[in-house]
Amino acid sequence: MGGEESPVLTLSADGDVRIVTLNRPDHLNGVSEELHRRLAEIWDELAADAEARAVVLTGAGRAFSAGGDFGHLLRHHSDPALRERSIRLDRAIQTAMIRFPLPLVAAVNGPAVGLGCSLALGCDLVLMADDAYLADPHVSVGLVAGDGGVTLWPLLTSLLRAKEYLFTGDRIPAEKAVEIGLANRVVPAAELSGQALALAHRLAAQPAEALRATKAALAVVVEQVSRGGMEAALMAERSTMASPDYLRIVSALASGGTGRRSSGHRNQEV
């Protein structure tokens, strides 16, 4: 298996390791409607790959993913059908990543913001380039953090830390992310791809049945703890997509010539 599966998401192989790359580098891998859909589909496709033993998730260019594409985000305010589709996709992505049977390594090669942050933290192990950062500015643009912040952050770090960074949307540099439990290690940017691939190969060489069963058991814990919070956050995010605050903030950001960039207030942008 190898080569491009979609213009917005590429899939390649290194032996029994699969590399999934968010592929909108000119848009800082901002999530368009097409990329959103592909992110909901790719996990079942990989799980059906009998030759795959581990997966690396990364971004093309200088960002992991800067979150939602502003043009796509803005359409949610006036399009109830799009809001419904997006919430279904967010639920599907979170659930599929939690239940994904193979070990999944995030190679965070640059900013991981909003949904990009959620994708990184939905992986089993998170390696960050030394110049990368995490941020979830949903609240700062008038949204509830429904695509993963509420689901995962309280399991990865303290509730106080989760509240601080979800409420403010502040950037979390790589070293701080490791310190508070949102990443495993910081890697020099030039070595990130190689180290992530080496780690994935190490996991791929582990006894497959034991590793998958261990991951499945941990997934049960995650789902039991997070299911209620995930649904509450998704429903609240859908509601806030129609709010005046959301329209005002995202309209201002989009009209400022930053429509290709991440959801977030201006000091979050790359």
Side-chain angles (χ1 to χ4, degrees), residues 85-253:
R85 286 198 303 275
S86 289
I87 292 301
R88 286 197 299 271
L89 290 172
D90 283 336
R91 182 186 294 108
I93 291 167
Q94 290 184 69
T95 303
M97 291 185 76
I98 291 169
R99 297 177 181 175
F100 185 60
L102 303 179
L104 181 55
V105 177
V108 183
N109 56 301
V113 179
L115 178 54
C117 182
S118 296
L119 292 170
L121 299 187
C123 295
D124 299 303
L125 299 174
V126 180
L127 274 57
M128 294 184 67
D130 51 11
D131 57 355
Y133 64 85
L134 307 174
D136 192 330
H138 275 76
V139 171
S140 297
V141 298
L143 288 176
V144 171
D147 63 27
V150 170
T151 305
L152 294 174
W153 287 41
L155 292 167
L156 300 173
T157 188
S158 75
L159 187 58
L160 290 175
R161 292 288 198 181
K163 288 179 179 179
E164 176 183 358
Y165 287 109
L166 290 175
F167 290 0
T168 65
D170 286 348
R171 293 182 182 184
I172 308 172
E175 292 283 359
K176 174 62 74 171
V178 171
E179 177 188 330
I180 67 175
L182 296 181
N184 292 90
R185 67 182 77 155
V186 181
V187 177
E191 300 175 17
L192 177 67
S193 178
Q195 289 204 29
L197 197 57
L199 178 58
H201 277 294
R202 181 181 176 188
L203 297 174
Q206 289 284 77
E209 183 179 358
L211 180 57
R212 293 188 187 196
T214 299
K215 179 171 178 179
L218 289 167
V220 172
V221 175
V222 174
E223 290 203 73
Q224 287 180 340
V225 172
S226 66
R227 176 59 63 187
M230 180 196 299
E231 284 303 313
L234 287 169
M235 294 303 97
E237 183 176 23
R238 181 183 63 184
S239 177
T240 51
M241 286 173 179
S243 73
D245 280 341
Y246 178 70
L247 177 61
R248 173 178 55 82
I249 296 168
V250 177
S251 295
L253 291 168

Side-chain angles (χ1 to χ4, degrees), residues 1-13:
M1 178 179 292
E4 188 172 84
E5 295 290 319
S6 165
V8 298
L9 191 74
T10 64
L11 178 62
S12 59

Side-chain angles (χ1 to χ4, degrees), residues 22 28-29 57-60 62-66 106-112 116-117 119-120:
L22 308 176
L28 303 178
N29 301 319
L57 177 65
T58 194
R62 63 191 183 95
F64 181 81
S65 173
V108 183
N109 56 301
C117 182
L119 292 170

